[in-house]
Amino acid sequence: MEIRQLQREEFEAAIELSQYAFQFTMSPEDLEKSKKKFKPEQTWGIFDGNDLNAKLTLLPLQVYIQGQVFDMGGIAGVATWPEKRRGGLVSRLLTHVLEEMKVAGQSLSFLHPFSFAFYRKFGWETYIEYKKYIISIDKFPAKLKTEGTVKRDVKDISELDQVYQAYASRYNGTLVRDKEWWEERTLNKNYRTAVYYSEAGDPQGYALYKIEDKQLNCDELVYLNETARRALWTYFANHDSMITQGKFIYIPADDNLPFLLDDPRIQQETEPYFMGRIVDAAAFVEKYPFEAIGEETRLTLHLTDHYAPWNEGIWILMVNAEGQGHLDRVDPSSSSEDGVEADLSVGIQSLTTLMLGYQRPDDLYKWSRITGRGESVSVLERVIPIKQTFLLDFF
């Protein structure tokens, strides 16, 4: 068995496996388009001779964490032929690409799981959920006169991206989109667009939506301030002769729309979405903006990570008064009853969900996902900033 990147002439083998595993069929036209866009260097496979047995795609992406841009390896398209399953092939692929991500400086990895339990075994953990609303037109927010204007069917990606990046950087785990991502991943579904401009002409909000069978389907509702939010909802409400309800998905989990409605009894769901994983703990902590509390803090952490052994061991976490962190590995020979003892013990999953902001230290300690000294947990509560996790994209 050999693990390697695919070659361009192996596109047909890869797409055949994808179509079988994910139960779809591409037309000849779509196959030709997909072949032109195929980036073999982003697909890793396990081969038995010339036969592709399993594969995954590793996308070089960037995400916002605490307002900073981090390199992230996005895993997608994990597939194995049924007769080759239960043989540890995916485990070998995941272990291999963890090493590849570390070398590439991708200290984080995200994926959309077919099974949360399956990927938890390899160190990934839930980091985001989102809300979905279904609202009848008579329960839409009231139409309000606002300053500025809303323009329909704006095609300028630079204007949409200007609003998106300002919005996305407020959350943990959102993608940094480039022009290709906008064209190939975001605007490839024939969305209508609506953009709110301030009186000064600055774009400050947008929506991506479709109207089908008297339902307004909105996949992105992005706004930078309350005026933009009200203006976009007024724009939606002005469709009252065309629609009976609206369906809004990919809404941040902390969204307060029901509270703002005259009648908050709308249909709403919370959907677990993506999983995240710290690939390289030392590199991640080095860049992570901790809370600047005006004094230096120091903790020892016993970190376990069975699939990325470079993270395993006892570490000294130091955060200076300005919020700059650093991890120093403790010599294993000194971590005995006569040497260094860890203040806290934590697995890579809990460390990930903690650092990304999906869960807080006190809660993880209460659930025994962190063990050790309670006073050390209080230190983590002080130095890890509170910020909502979110993701508007799929891969």
Side-chain angles (χ1 to χ4, degrees):
M1 293 281 187
E2 177 189 15
I3 297 178
R4 62 171 174 81
Q5 291 163 301
L6 266 64
Q7 300 171 9
R8 179 157 295 280
E9 59 270 21
E10 291 167 329
F11 167 79
E12 285 77 11
I15 203 66
E16 182 184 4
L17 176 51
S18 290
Q19 288 183 105
Y20 189 93
F22 302 116
Q23 303 173 53
F24 69 94
T25 301
M26 299 182 74
S27 68
E29 295 79 9
D30 288 339
L31 277 171
E32 190 60 32
K33 290 178 183 177
S34 184
K35 186 174 184 178
K36 289 178 180 178
K37 297 174 183 175
F38 180 53
K39 297 179 180 179
E41 72 278 4
Q42 293 181 359
T43 302
W44 288 86
I46 293 187
F47 289 83
D48 186 358
N50 293 323
D51 295 332
L52 177 63
N53 288 350
K55 71 173 184 68
L56 62 76
T57 299
L58 180 58
L59 299 169
L61 302 172
Q62 293 184 313
V63 294
Y64 289 108
I65 304 292
Q66 303 295 349
Q68 300 293 318
V69 175
F70 282 69
D71 290 331
M72 183 271 288
I75 291 179
V78 182
T80 311
W81 287 110
E83 67 273 19
K84 302 297 182 181
R85 290 173 189 164
R86 311 294 185 270
L89 298 184
V90 170
S91 174
R92 290 177 59 186
L93 270 178
L94 291 173
T95 302
H96 181 85
V97 296
L98 281 170
E99 296 172 353
E100 293 292 332
M101 286 186 277
K102 182 179 185 297
V103 171
Q106 296 162 342
S107 60
L108 275 173
S109 176
F110 291 168
L111 58 79
H112 183 263
F114 80 94
S115 164
F116 284 83
F118 178 83
Y119 284 104
R120 279 183 171 136
K121 293 186 297 185
F122 302 102
W124 277 264
E125 183 54 273
T126 314
Y127 93 87
I128 177 193
E129 56 199 19
Y130 65 83
K131 285 186 177 181
K132 298 191 290 187
Y133 298 139
I134 295 180
I135 313 173
S136 60
I137 187 64
D138 60 299
K139 291 186 177 182
F140 273 32
K143 301 173 187 177
L144 298 171
K145 184 174 178 58
T146 56
E147 300 172 344
T149 59
V150 174
K151 296 182 181 179
R152 178 176 41 82
D153 292 337
V154 175
K155 303 298 184 183
D156 189 337
I157 287 177
S158 65
E159 291 196 343
L160 296 172
D161 190 61
Q162 177 182 334
V163 179
Y164 169 80
Q165 302 295 355
Y167 178 82
S169 62
R170 298 175 179 178
Y171 295 94
N172 281 350
T174 44
L175 285 192
V176 179
R177 292 175 177 171
D178 59 17
K179 187 173 183 289
E180 181 183 1
W181 191 273
W182 273 102
E183 292 174 343
E184 301 294 336
R185 301 276 189 153
T186 306
L187 299 177
N188 64 339
K189 299 177 183 178
N190 299 317
Y191 287 116
R192 309 303 293 259
T193 65
V195 178
Y196 166 75
Y197 296 87
S198 68
E199 282 191 303
D202 299 320
Q204 295 184 347
Y206 73 81
L208 304 182
Y209 69 97
K210 295 179 181 179
I211 297 176
E212 300 169 318
D213 300 325
K214 290 189 173 295
Q215 177 170 282
L216 185 146
N217 298 306
C218 180
D219 284 2
E220 291 194 18
L221 178 57
V222 171
Y223 48 84
L224 303 184
N225 50 55
E226 179 63 10
T227 301
R229 186 191 73 84
R230 292 178 178 180
L232 288 169
W233 271 108
T234 296
Y235 173 79
F236 287 147
N238 285 333
H239 290 75
D240 50 359
S241 65
M242 300 171 57
I243 63 173
T244 58
Q245 65 181 20
K247 182 178 180 181
F248 300 83
I249 63 173
Y250 304 119
I251 303 296
D254 62 350
D255 183 75
N256 290 319
L257 177 67
F259 175 75
L260 299 174
L261 297 176
D262 290 338
D263 183 356
R265 288 173 175 163
I266 61 172
Q267 183 177 331
Q268 54 181 309
E269 298 177 26
T270 299
E271 183 81 17
Y273 194 30
F274 262 66
M275 303 181 83
R277 191 201 205 285
I278 292 175
V279 173
D280 187 337
F284 180 81
V285 166
E286 194 74 27
K287 190 170 183 178
Y288 185 88
F290 289 88
E291 202 73 68
I293 63 174
E295 61 183 56
E296 184 175 281
T297 59
R298 175 187 169 107
L299 295 172
T300 53
L301 302 176
H302 181 204
L303 178 59
T304 55
D305 187 348
H306 301 310
Y307 286 88
W310 52 86
N311 290 328
E312 285 262 7
I314 295 181
W315 300 81
I316 297 174
L317 169 64
M318 293 177 289
V319 181
N320 66 22
E322 291 74 39
Q324 173 66 48
H326 185 71
L327 274 181
D328 273 329
R329 186 186 292 276
V330 175
D331 184 346
S333 64
S334 69
S335 55
S336 64
E337 59 183 4
D338 298 320
V340 177
E341 292 292 340
D343 297 313
L344 298 172
S345 294
V346 60
I348 194 65
Q349 294 165 275
S350 294
L351 183 67
T352 298
T353 196
L354 169 72
M355 299 296 283
L356 294 186
Y358 183 65
Q359 302 293 344
R360 294 300 299 171
D362 281 344
D363 289 325
L364 291 170
Y365 186 64
K366 176 177 65 179
W367 302 324
S368 298
R369 298 296 182 89
I370 298 176
T371 59
R373 301 187 177 107
E375 58 269 26
S376 298
V377 177
S378 298
V379 172
L380 286 182
E381 279 285 350
R382 294 179 65 200
V383 299
I384 295 179
I386 296 174
K387 192 176 285 287
Q388 179 65 43
T389 58
F390 192 38
L391 180 64
L392 275 164
D393 292 285
F394 178 86
F395 51 84

